[in-house]
Short mmCIF file of all heavy atoms in Angstrom, two decimals:
data_model
loop_
_atom_site.label_atom_id
_atom_site.label_comp_id
_atom_site.label_asym_id
_atom_site.label_seq_id
_atom_site.Cartn_x
_atom_site.Cartn_y
_atom_site.Cartn_z
N TRP A 136 32.83 -23.96 120.94
CA TRP A 136 33.50 -23.47 119.75
C TRP A 136 32.54 -23.19 118.57
O TRP A 136 32.83 -22.42 117.69
CB TRP A 136 34.59 -24.43 119.28
CG TRP A 136 35.78 -24.51 120.23
CD1 TRP A 136 36.03 -25.48 121.17
CD2 TRP A 136 36.83 -23.54 120.38
NE1 TRP A 136 37.19 -25.19 121.86
CE2 TRP A 136 37.70 -24.03 121.39
CE3 TRP A 136 37.12 -22.35 119.73
CZ2 TRP A 136 38.85 -23.33 121.76
CZ3 TRP A 136 38.29 -21.66 120.11
CH2 TRP A 136 39.12 -22.14 121.11
N GLY A 137 31.40 -23.86 118.59
CA GLY A 137 30.42 -23.65 117.53
C GLY A 137 30.99 -24.04 116.19
O GLY A 137 31.47 -25.16 115.97
N ASP A 138 30.92 -23.11 115.24
CA ASP A 138 31.40 -23.36 113.87
C ASP A 138 32.89 -23.13 113.69
O ASP A 138 33.40 -23.15 112.57
CB ASP A 138 30.63 -22.51 112.86
CG ASP A 138 30.83 -21.04 113.05
OD1 ASP A 138 31.37 -20.62 114.08
OD2 ASP A 138 30.46 -20.25 112.14
N ILE A 139 33.59 -22.89 114.79
CA ILE A 139 35.04 -22.71 114.74
C ILE A 139 35.73 -24.06 114.91
O ILE A 139 35.38 -24.81 115.83
CB ILE A 139 35.50 -21.73 115.87
CG1 ILE A 139 34.86 -20.35 115.65
CG2 ILE A 139 37.03 -21.62 115.88
CD1 ILE A 139 35.09 -19.43 116.85
N ARG A 140 36.72 -24.31 114.10
CA ARG A 140 37.49 -25.54 114.27
C ARG A 140 38.77 -25.20 115.05
O ARG A 140 39.62 -24.44 114.58
CB ARG A 140 37.83 -26.15 112.89
CG ARG A 140 38.54 -27.47 112.97
CD ARG A 140 37.68 -28.58 113.63
NE ARG A 140 38.40 -29.84 113.69
CZ ARG A 140 38.39 -30.75 112.74
NH1 ARG A 140 37.68 -30.56 111.64
NH2 ARG A 140 39.08 -31.86 112.87
N TYR A 141 38.92 -25.80 116.22
CA TYR A 141 40.08 -25.59 117.07
C TYR A 141 41.08 -26.70 116.83
O TYR A 141 40.72 -27.89 117.01
CB TYR A 141 39.68 -25.52 118.53
CG TYR A 141 40.86 -25.45 119.47
CD1 TYR A 141 41.72 -24.36 119.51
CD2 TYR A 141 41.13 -26.53 120.33
CE1 TYR A 141 42.79 -24.32 120.37
CE2 TYR A 141 42.22 -26.49 121.21
CZ TYR A 141 43.04 -25.37 121.21
OH TYR A 141 44.11 -25.34 122.05
N LEU A 142 42.31 -26.40 116.46
CA LEU A 142 43.33 -27.37 116.21
C LEU A 142 44.43 -27.27 117.27
O LEU A 142 44.90 -26.18 117.59
CB LEU A 142 43.97 -27.14 114.81
CG LEU A 142 43.05 -27.30 113.61
CD1 LEU A 142 43.86 -27.05 112.29
CD2 LEU A 142 42.34 -28.65 113.57
N GLN A 143 44.81 -28.42 117.78
CA GLN A 143 45.88 -28.48 118.80
C GLN A 143 46.77 -29.68 118.45
O GLN A 143 46.51 -30.81 118.87
CB GLN A 143 45.31 -28.59 120.20
CG GLN A 143 46.35 -28.54 121.31
CD GLN A 143 45.72 -28.44 122.69
OE1 GLN A 143 44.78 -27.66 122.92
NE2 GLN A 143 46.19 -29.24 123.63
N ASP A 144 47.77 -29.44 117.64
CA ASP A 144 48.62 -30.49 117.10
C ASP A 144 47.80 -31.51 116.33
O ASP A 144 48.03 -32.73 116.41
CB ASP A 144 49.41 -31.18 118.22
CG ASP A 144 50.34 -30.21 118.95
OD1 ASP A 144 51.03 -29.43 118.27
OD2 ASP A 144 50.34 -30.19 120.19
N THR A 145 46.83 -31.00 115.56
CA THR A 145 45.94 -31.85 114.79
C THR A 145 45.74 -31.23 113.39
O THR A 145 46.07 -30.09 113.15
CB THR A 145 44.58 -32.00 115.48
OG1 THR A 145 44.06 -30.72 115.80
CG2 THR A 145 44.72 -32.85 116.75
N SER A 146 45.12 -32.04 112.52
CA SER A 146 44.82 -31.62 111.17
C SER A 146 43.36 -31.65 110.85
O SER A 146 42.57 -32.30 111.56
CB SER A 146 45.58 -32.51 110.15
OG SER A 146 46.96 -32.44 110.29
N MET A 147 42.99 -30.97 109.78
CA MET A 147 41.64 -31.05 109.21
C MET A 147 41.77 -30.83 107.71
O MET A 147 42.79 -30.37 107.20
CB MET A 147 40.76 -29.95 109.81
CG MET A 147 41.19 -28.54 109.44
SD MET A 147 40.05 -27.25 110.00
CE MET A 147 38.61 -27.59 109.00
N VAL A 148 40.75 -31.21 106.99
CA VAL A 148 40.70 -31.01 105.55
C VAL A 148 39.55 -30.07 105.23
O VAL A 148 38.42 -30.30 105.68
CB VAL A 148 40.55 -32.35 104.79
CG1 VAL A 148 40.37 -32.08 103.29
CG2 VAL A 148 41.79 -33.22 105.02
N ILE A 149 39.82 -29.06 104.47
CA ILE A 149 38.81 -28.11 104.02
C ILE A 149 38.50 -28.39 102.54
O ILE A 149 39.38 -28.36 101.70
CB ILE A 149 39.30 -26.66 104.17
CG1 ILE A 149 39.40 -26.31 105.67
CG2 ILE A 149 38.35 -25.69 103.46
CD1 ILE A 149 39.94 -24.90 105.92
N ALA A 150 37.26 -28.74 102.28
CA ALA A 150 36.80 -28.96 100.92
C ALA A 150 36.10 -27.70 100.46
O ALA A 150 35.04 -27.30 100.98
CB ALA A 150 35.86 -30.17 100.86
N LEU A 151 36.67 -27.04 99.48
CA LEU A 151 36.20 -25.73 99.08
C LEU A 151 36.54 -25.44 97.61
O LEU A 151 37.65 -25.66 97.20
CB LEU A 151 36.83 -24.66 99.99
CG LEU A 151 36.43 -23.19 99.79
CD1 LEU A 151 34.95 -22.98 100.14
CD2 LEU A 151 37.28 -22.30 100.69
N LYS A 152 35.54 -25.02 96.85
CA LYS A 152 35.74 -24.64 95.46
C LYS A 152 36.42 -25.75 94.65
O LYS A 152 37.31 -25.49 93.83
CB LYS A 152 36.56 -23.34 95.36
CG LYS A 152 35.88 -22.12 95.99
CD LYS A 152 36.69 -20.85 95.78
CE LYS A 152 35.94 -19.65 96.29
NZ LYS A 152 36.73 -18.39 96.13
N GLY A 153 35.99 -26.97 94.90
CA GLY A 153 36.53 -28.09 94.18
C GLY A 153 37.93 -28.50 94.61
O GLY A 153 38.56 -29.35 93.96
N ARG A 154 38.41 -27.97 95.70
CA ARG A 154 39.76 -28.27 96.17
C ARG A 154 39.68 -28.87 97.59
O ARG A 154 38.72 -28.65 98.31
CB ARG A 154 40.63 -27.00 96.21
CG ARG A 154 40.79 -26.37 94.84
CD ARG A 154 41.49 -25.02 94.94
NE ARG A 154 42.85 -25.18 95.47
CZ ARG A 154 43.66 -24.11 95.70
NH1 ARG A 154 43.24 -22.88 95.48
NH2 ARG A 154 44.88 -24.31 96.17
N ARG A 155 40.71 -29.61 97.95
CA ARG A 155 40.82 -30.18 99.27
C ARG A 155 42.15 -29.68 99.87
O ARG A 155 43.22 -30.03 99.40
CB ARG A 155 40.79 -31.69 99.24
CG ARG A 155 39.42 -32.25 98.85
CD ARG A 155 39.45 -33.78 98.76
NE ARG A 155 39.76 -34.38 100.05
CZ ARG A 155 38.88 -34.62 101.02
NH1 ARG A 155 37.63 -34.25 100.85
NH2 ARG A 155 39.26 -35.21 102.14
N LEU A 156 42.04 -28.83 100.90
CA LEU A 156 43.21 -28.21 101.52
C LEU A 156 43.39 -28.82 102.90
O LEU A 156 42.52 -28.75 103.76
CB LEU A 156 43.01 -26.72 101.61
CG LEU A 156 42.80 -25.96 100.30
CD1 LEU A 156 42.43 -24.50 100.59
CD2 LEU A 156 44.07 -26.01 99.46
N LYS A 157 44.58 -29.38 103.13
CA LYS A 157 44.87 -29.94 104.45
C LYS A 157 45.50 -28.87 105.32
O LYS A 157 46.49 -28.24 104.92
CB LYS A 157 45.83 -31.14 104.33
CG LYS A 157 46.00 -31.89 105.64
CD LYS A 157 46.59 -33.26 105.43
CE LYS A 157 46.60 -34.08 106.73
NZ LYS A 157 47.09 -35.45 106.53
N VAL A 158 44.94 -28.72 106.51
CA VAL A 158 45.38 -27.68 107.45
C VAL A 158 45.90 -28.36 108.72
O VAL A 158 45.22 -29.22 109.27
CB VAL A 158 44.23 -26.71 107.81
CG1 VAL A 158 44.72 -25.59 108.68
CG2 VAL A 158 43.54 -26.18 106.56
N TYR A 159 47.08 -27.94 109.14
CA TYR A 159 47.64 -28.45 110.39
C TYR A 159 47.90 -27.28 111.33
O TYR A 159 48.46 -26.24 110.91
CB TYR A 159 48.96 -29.21 110.16
CG TYR A 159 49.60 -29.73 111.45
CD1 TYR A 159 49.21 -30.97 111.95
CD2 TYR A 159 50.57 -28.99 112.09
CE1 TYR A 159 49.78 -31.48 113.10
CE2 TYR A 159 51.14 -29.50 113.27
CZ TYR A 159 50.76 -30.71 113.77
OH TYR A 159 51.32 -31.20 114.92
N GLY A 160 47.50 -27.42 112.60
CA GLY A 160 47.68 -26.34 113.56
C GLY A 160 48.34 -26.81 114.84
O GLY A 160 48.02 -27.87 115.34
N SER A 161 49.25 -25.99 115.36
CA SER A 161 49.92 -26.29 116.59
C SER A 161 50.15 -25.00 117.40
O SER A 161 50.60 -24.01 116.85
CB SER A 161 51.28 -26.95 116.36
OG SER A 161 52.03 -27.14 117.56
N PRO A 162 49.90 -25.04 118.71
CA PRO A 162 50.08 -23.85 119.57
C PRO A 162 51.47 -23.66 120.11
O PRO A 162 51.71 -22.70 120.85
CB PRO A 162 49.08 -24.12 120.70
CG PRO A 162 49.15 -25.61 120.89
CD PRO A 162 49.35 -26.17 119.48
N LYS A 163 52.40 -24.53 119.81
CA LYS A 163 53.70 -24.57 120.48
C LYS A 163 54.55 -23.33 120.13
O LYS A 163 54.51 -22.82 119.02
CB LYS A 163 54.48 -25.81 120.13
CG LYS A 163 53.81 -27.10 120.63
CD LYS A 163 54.74 -28.29 120.51
CE LYS A 163 55.02 -28.72 119.09
NZ LYS A 163 53.92 -29.43 118.48
N SER A 164 55.35 -22.92 121.11
CA SER A 164 56.38 -21.88 120.89
C SER A 164 57.51 -22.11 121.88
O SER A 164 57.31 -22.72 122.95
CB SER A 164 55.77 -20.47 121.07
OG SER A 164 55.23 -20.29 122.38
N PRO A 165 58.71 -21.61 121.56
CA PRO A 165 59.85 -21.83 122.46
C PRO A 165 59.63 -21.20 123.84
O PRO A 165 59.01 -20.13 123.96
CB PRO A 165 61.02 -21.14 121.72
CG PRO A 165 60.61 -21.14 120.31
CD PRO A 165 59.11 -20.96 120.31
N ARG A 166 60.14 -21.83 124.86
CA ARG A 166 59.90 -21.39 126.23
C ARG A 166 60.61 -20.07 126.53
O ARG A 166 61.76 -19.86 126.21
CB ARG A 166 60.38 -22.45 127.21
CG ARG A 166 60.24 -22.07 128.70
CD ARG A 166 60.55 -23.22 129.59
NE ARG A 166 59.59 -24.31 129.38
CZ ARG A 166 59.86 -25.58 129.61
NH1 ARG A 166 61.06 -25.94 130.02
NH2 ARG A 166 58.92 -26.49 129.42
N HIS A 167 59.82 -19.21 127.15
CA HIS A 167 60.36 -17.99 127.80
C HIS A 167 59.35 -17.56 128.82
O HIS A 167 58.29 -17.03 128.50
CB HIS A 167 60.57 -16.90 126.74
CG HIS A 167 61.41 -15.77 127.27
ND1 HIS A 167 62.75 -15.65 126.95
CD2 HIS A 167 61.15 -14.73 128.10
CE1 HIS A 167 63.26 -14.57 127.55
NE2 HIS A 167 62.32 -14.04 128.27
N GLY A 168 59.64 -17.87 130.08
CA GLY A 168 58.67 -17.61 131.11
C GLY A 168 57.81 -18.85 131.36
O GLY A 168 58.11 -19.95 130.85
N ASN A 169 56.76 -18.71 132.12
CA ASN A 169 55.89 -19.83 132.50
C ASN A 169 54.55 -19.66 131.86
O ASN A 169 53.53 -19.39 132.49
CB ASN A 169 55.78 -19.83 134.05
CG ASN A 169 55.04 -21.09 134.53
OD1 ASN A 169 55.04 -22.12 133.83
ND2 ASN A 169 54.38 -20.98 135.67
N TRP A 170 54.51 -19.88 130.55
CA TRP A 170 53.29 -19.71 129.79
C TRP A 170 52.81 -21.05 129.21
O TRP A 170 53.38 -22.09 129.53
CB TRP A 170 53.48 -18.66 128.68
CG TRP A 170 53.81 -17.29 129.22
CD1 TRP A 170 55.02 -16.80 129.59
CD2 TRP A 170 52.85 -16.26 129.49
NE1 TRP A 170 54.90 -15.52 130.06
CE2 TRP A 170 53.57 -15.15 130.01
CE3 TRP A 170 51.48 -16.13 129.33
CZ2 TRP A 170 52.96 -13.97 130.37
CZ3 TRP A 170 50.84 -14.94 129.69
CH2 TRP A 170 51.59 -13.86 130.20
N ALA A 171 51.85 -20.98 128.39
CA ALA A 171 51.21 -22.19 127.86
C ALA A 171 51.92 -22.74 126.60
O ALA A 171 52.50 -21.97 125.83
CB ALA A 171 49.74 -21.94 127.55
N PHE A 172 51.85 -24.05 126.44
CA PHE A 172 52.26 -24.71 125.19
C PHE A 172 53.72 -24.41 124.82
O PHE A 172 54.04 -24.23 123.61
CB PHE A 172 51.34 -24.34 124.03
CG PHE A 172 49.90 -24.69 124.23
CD1 PHE A 172 48.96 -23.72 124.47
CD2 PHE A 172 49.49 -26.02 124.23
CE1 PHE A 172 47.63 -24.03 124.66
CE2 PHE A 172 48.17 -26.35 124.41
CZ PHE A 172 47.19 -25.36 124.64
N GLN A 173 54.62 -24.31 125.79
CA GLN A 173 55.97 -23.94 125.48
C GLN A 173 56.90 -25.12 125.67
O GLN A 173 56.66 -26.05 126.43
CB GLN A 173 56.42 -22.78 126.34
CG GLN A 173 55.59 -21.51 126.07
CD GLN A 173 56.27 -20.25 126.60
OE1 GLN A 173 56.82 -20.23 127.68
NE2 GLN A 173 56.22 -19.19 125.77
N TYR A 174 58.04 -25.08 124.92
CA TYR A 174 59.01 -26.17 124.97
C TYR A 174 60.41 -25.59 125.10
O TYR A 174 60.64 -24.42 124.73
CB TYR A 174 58.91 -27.03 123.71
CG TYR A 174 59.06 -26.29 122.40
CD1 TYR A 174 60.34 -26.08 121.82
CD2 TYR A 174 57.96 -25.75 121.77
CE1 TYR A 174 60.47 -25.42 120.64
CE2 TYR A 174 58.09 -25.06 120.54
CZ TYR A 174 59.35 -24.88 120.00
OH TYR A 174 59.47 -24.20 118.82
N PRO A 175 61.36 -26.35 125.65
CA PRO A 175 62.75 -25.85 125.74
C PRO A 175 63.28 -25.45 124.38
O PRO A 175 63.10 -26.20 123.39
CB PRO A 175 63.51 -27.04 126.34
CG PRO A 175 62.45 -27.86 127.04
CD PRO A 175 61.21 -27.68 126.24
N ARG A 176 63.95 -24.33 124.29
CA ARG A 176 64.39 -23.78 123.02
C ARG A 176 65.33 -24.76 122.26
O ARG A 176 65.36 -24.77 121.03
CB ARG A 176 65.08 -22.45 123.20
CG ARG A 176 64.11 -21.34 123.59
CD ARG A 176 64.79 -20.01 123.78
NE ARG A 176 63.76 -18.97 123.95
CZ ARG A 176 63.19 -18.30 122.98
NH1 ARG A 176 63.58 -18.53 121.72
NH2 ARG A 176 62.26 -17.40 123.20
N GLU A 177 66.11 -25.55 123.02
CA GLU A 177 67.05 -26.46 122.36
C GLU A 177 66.40 -27.75 121.89
O GLU A 177 67.03 -28.52 121.16
CB GLU A 177 68.21 -26.76 123.33
CG GLU A 177 67.83 -27.57 124.56
CD GLU A 177 67.24 -26.73 125.70
OE1 GLU A 177 67.07 -25.52 125.50
OE2 GLU A 177 67.02 -27.31 126.79
N SER A 178 65.15 -27.97 122.29
CA SER A 178 64.48 -29.26 121.95
C SER A 178 63.84 -29.18 120.56
O SER A 178 63.14 -28.24 120.26
CB SER A 178 63.42 -29.58 122.99
OG SER A 178 64.00 -29.76 124.27
N ASP A 179 64.08 -30.24 119.80
CA ASP A 179 63.44 -30.32 118.48
C ASP A 179 62.15 -31.09 118.63
O ASP A 179 62.10 -32.30 118.48
CB ASP A 179 64.38 -31.05 117.50
CG ASP A 179 63.80 -31.04 116.07
OD1 ASP A 179 62.68 -30.54 115.90
OD2 ASP A 179 64.48 -31.55 115.16
N VAL A 180 61.08 -30.36 118.95
CA VAL A 180 59.78 -30.95 119.11
C VAL A 180 59.02 -31.05 117.79
O VAL A 180 57.90 -31.56 117.75
CB VAL A 180 58.95 -30.13 120.12
CG1 VAL A 180 59.63 -30.07 121.47
CG2 VAL A 180 58.67 -28.71 119.60
N TRP A 181 59.61 -30.56 116.69
CA TRP A 181 58.91 -30.47 115.43
C TRP A 181 59.21 -31.60 114.44
O TRP A 181 58.45 -31.83 113.52
CB TRP A 181 59.22 -29.11 114.74
CG TRP A 181 58.70 -27.95 115.48
CD1 TRP A 181 59.37 -27.07 116.28
CD2 TRP A 181 57.34 -27.49 115.51
NE1 TRP A 181 58.57 -26.10 116.78
CE2 TRP A 181 57.29 -26.34 116.34
CE3 TRP A 181 56.15 -27.95 114.94
CZ2 TRP A 181 56.10 -25.66 116.59
CZ3 TRP A 181 54.98 -27.25 115.18
CH2 TRP A 181 54.98 -26.14 116.00
N ARG A 182 60.33 -32.29 114.65
CA ARG A 182 60.80 -33.22 113.64
C ARG A 182 59.68 -34.22 113.25
O ARG A 182 59.18 -35.01 114.07
CB ARG A 182 62.01 -33.97 114.14
CG ARG A 182 62.63 -34.93 113.11
CD ARG A 182 63.80 -35.67 113.68
NE ARG A 182 64.88 -34.75 114.02
CZ ARG A 182 65.84 -34.36 113.19
NH1 ARG A 182 65.84 -34.82 111.95
NH2 ARG A 182 66.79 -33.52 113.60
N HIS A 183 59.30 -34.22 111.99
CA HIS A 183 58.33 -35.15 111.39
C HIS A 183 57.00 -35.16 112.16
O HIS A 183 56.32 -36.17 112.22
CB HIS A 183 58.91 -36.57 111.37
CG HIS A 183 60.10 -36.68 110.47
ND1 HIS A 183 60.00 -36.66 109.06
CD2 HIS A 183 61.42 -36.80 110.72
CE1 HIS A 183 61.19 -36.77 108.55
NE2 HIS A 183 62.07 -36.84 109.51
N THR A 184 56.63 -33.99 112.68
CA THR A 184 55.30 -33.90 113.35
C THR A 184 54.22 -33.35 112.42
O THR A 184 53.04 -33.56 112.65
CB THR A 184 55.39 -33.01 114.60
OG1 THR A 184 55.82 -31.72 114.21
CG2 THR A 184 56.34 -33.61 115.63
N ILE A 185 54.64 -32.61 111.42
CA ILE A 185 53.65 -31.95 110.49
C ILE A 185 53.47 -32.90 109.31
O ILE A 185 54.41 -33.34 108.70
CB ILE A 185 54.17 -30.59 110.02
CG1 ILE A 185 54.42 -29.69 111.21
CG2 ILE A 185 53.20 -29.96 109.04
CD1 ILE A 185 55.13 -28.39 110.87
N PRO A 186 52.22 -33.23 108.99
CA PRO A 186 51.96 -34.16 107.88
C PRO A 186 52.60 -33.65 106.56
O PRO A 186 52.58 -32.46 106.28
CB PRO A 186 50.44 -34.17 107.79
CG PRO A 186 49.97 -33.83 109.16
CD PRO A 186 50.98 -32.86 109.69
N ASP A 187 53.11 -34.59 105.78
CA ASP A 187 53.82 -34.21 104.55
C ASP A 187 52.94 -33.49 103.57
O ASP A 187 53.43 -32.65 102.79
CB ASP A 187 54.33 -35.52 103.86
CG ASP A 187 55.40 -36.22 104.70
OD1 ASP A 187 55.87 -35.63 105.68
OD2 ASP A 187 55.73 -37.37 104.34
N ASP A 188 51.63 -33.77 103.58
CA ASP A 188 50.72 -33.21 102.57
C ASP A 188 50.01 -31.94 103.06
O ASP A 188 48.95 -31.60 102.54
CB ASP A 188 49.73 -34.25 102.11
CG ASP A 188 48.91 -34.86 103.27
OD1 ASP A 188 49.31 -34.64 104.43
OD2 ASP A 188 47.93 -35.54 102.98
N THR A 189 50.58 -31.29 104.08
CA THR A 189 49.96 -30.10 104.62
C THR A 189 49.99 -28.94 103.61
O THR A 189 51.07 -28.61 103.05
CB THR A 189 50.66 -29.64 105.91
OG1 THR A 189 50.49 -30.68 106.89
CG2 THR A 189 50.08 -28.35 106.44
N ASP A 190 48.86 -28.34 103.33
CA ASP A 190 48.79 -27.16 102.46
C ASP A 190 48.87 -25.85 103.27
O ASP A 190 49.49 -24.90 102.80
CB ASP A 190 47.46 -27.19 101.69
CG ASP A 190 47.33 -28.42 100.79
OD1 ASP A 190 48.15 -28.55 99.87
OD2 ASP A 190 46.41 -29.24 101.03
N ILE A 191 48.18 -25.82 104.40
CA ILE A 191 48.18 -24.64 105.24
C ILE A 191 48.71 -25.03 106.63
O ILE A 191 48.12 -25.91 107.29
CB ILE A 191 46.79 -24.05 105.40
CG1 ILE A 191 46.22 -23.63 104.00
CG2 ILE A 191 46.79 -22.82 106.31
CD1 ILE A 191 44.80 -23.13 104.05
N LEU A 192 49.80 -24.40 107.01
CA LEU A 192 50.38 -24.67 108.35
C LEU A 192 50.11 -23.44 109.24
O LEU A 192 50.36 -22.31 108.84
CB LEU A 192 51.88 -24.86 108.19
CG LEU A 192 52.72 -24.98 109.46
CD1 LEU A 192 52.27 -26.19 110.30
CD2 LEU A 192 54.22 -25.08 109.13
N ILE A 193 49.60 -23.74 110.45
CA ILE A 193 49.34 -22.67 111.42
C ILE A 193 50.13 -23.03 112.67
O ILE A 193 49.90 -24.06 113.28
CB ILE A 193 47.85 -22.55 111.75
CG1 ILE A 193 46.99 -22.53 110.50
CG2 ILE A 193 47.60 -21.30 112.58
CD1 ILE A 193 45.49 -22.69 110.77
N THR A 194 51.05 -22.17 113.08
CA THR A 194 51.77 -22.33 114.35
C THR A 194 51.76 -21.01 115.08
O THR A 194 51.64 -19.96 114.46
CB THR A 194 53.23 -22.77 114.12
OG1 THR A 194 53.92 -21.75 113.41
CG2 THR A 194 53.29 -24.10 113.38
N HIS A 195 51.83 -21.07 116.39
CA HIS A 195 51.85 -19.80 117.09
C HIS A 195 53.21 -19.12 116.96
O HIS A 195 53.32 -17.93 116.70
CB HIS A 195 51.50 -19.97 118.58
CG HIS A 195 51.41 -18.66 119.29
ND1 HIS A 195 50.58 -17.67 118.92
CD2 HIS A 195 52.09 -18.18 120.38
CE1 HIS A 195 50.73 -16.60 119.71
NE2 HIS A 195 51.63 -16.88 120.58
N GLY A 196 54.27 -19.88 117.14
CA GLY A 196 55.60 -19.29 117.01
C GLY A 196 56.07 -19.28 115.57
O GLY A 196 55.64 -20.14 114.74
N PRO A 197 56.94 -18.37 115.23
CA PRO A 197 57.48 -18.29 113.86
C PRO A 197 58.67 -19.20 113.63
O PRO A 197 59.34 -19.61 114.60
CB PRO A 197 57.91 -16.82 113.74
CG PRO A 197 58.31 -16.45 115.11
CD PRO A 197 57.41 -17.25 116.04
N PRO A 198 59.00 -19.49 112.39
CA PRO A 198 60.26 -20.14 112.09
C PRO A 198 61.41 -19.12 112.18
O PRO A 198 61.19 -17.92 112.05
CB PRO A 198 60.07 -20.62 110.64
CG PRO A 198 59.14 -19.59 110.03
CD PRO A 198 58.23 -19.19 111.16
N ARG A 199 62.57 -19.60 112.46
CA ARG A 199 63.69 -18.69 112.61
C ARG A 199 64.00 -17.95 111.31
O ARG A 199 63.89 -18.54 110.22
CB ARG A 199 64.93 -19.49 113.06
CG ARG A 199 66.17 -18.63 113.36
CD ARG A 199 65.98 -17.85 114.64
NE ARG A 199 67.14 -17.05 114.97
CZ ARG A 199 68.18 -17.52 115.68
NH1 ARG A 199 68.20 -18.77 116.10
NH2 ARG A 199 69.22 -16.76 115.94
N ALA A 200 64.39 -16.71 111.41
CA ALA A 200 64.88 -15.89 110.31
C ALA A 200 63.76 -15.31 109.42
O ALA A 200 64.06 -14.65 108.42
CB ALA A 200 65.86 -16.66 109.43
N HIS A 201 62.49 -15.56 109.78
CA HIS A 201 61.41 -15.08 108.94
C HIS A 201 60.34 -14.41 109.81
O HIS A 201 59.66 -15.05 110.63
CB HIS A 201 60.79 -16.19 108.16
CG HIS A 201 61.72 -16.84 107.18
ND1 HIS A 201 62.06 -16.29 105.96
CD2 HIS A 201 62.47 -17.99 107.26
CE1 HIS A 201 62.93 -17.04 105.34
NE2 HIS A 201 63.19 -18.08 106.11
N LEU A 202 60.21 -13.10 109.65
CA LEU A 202 59.22 -12.30 110.36
C LEU A 202 59.23 -12.53 111.86
O LEU A 202 58.23 -12.61 112.56
CB LEU A 202 57.80 -12.64 109.82
CG LEU A 202 57.63 -12.47 108.29
CD1 LEU A 202 56.26 -12.98 107.85
CD2 LEU A 202 57.86 -11.05 107.86
#
Side-chain angles (χ1 to χ4, degrees):
W136 292 102
D138 63 347
I139 298 170
R140 184 64 180 270
Y141 173 67
L142 299 180
Q143 186 172 312
D144 298 313
T145 52
S146 295
M147 66 175 293
V148 174
I149 291 177
L151 182 65
K152 295 183 176 180
R154 300 172 63 183
R155 291 178 61 83
L156 300 171
K157 188 164 188 176
V158 185
Y159 179 85
S161 174
K163 295 192 291 284
S164 60
R166 178 173 296 154
H167 194 101
N169 187 26
W170 296 85
F172 301 109
Q173 297 198 318
Y174 57 90
R176 289 181 172 270
E177 66 277 6
S178 297
D179 186 358
V180 300
W181 293 103
R182 184 182 296 272
H183 295 288
T184 59
I185 301 171
D187 296 348
D188 56 348
T189 297
D190 299 297
I191 301 176
L192 173 61
I193 313 169
T194 62
H195 184 56
R199 185 70 178 275
H201 297 281
L202 305 175

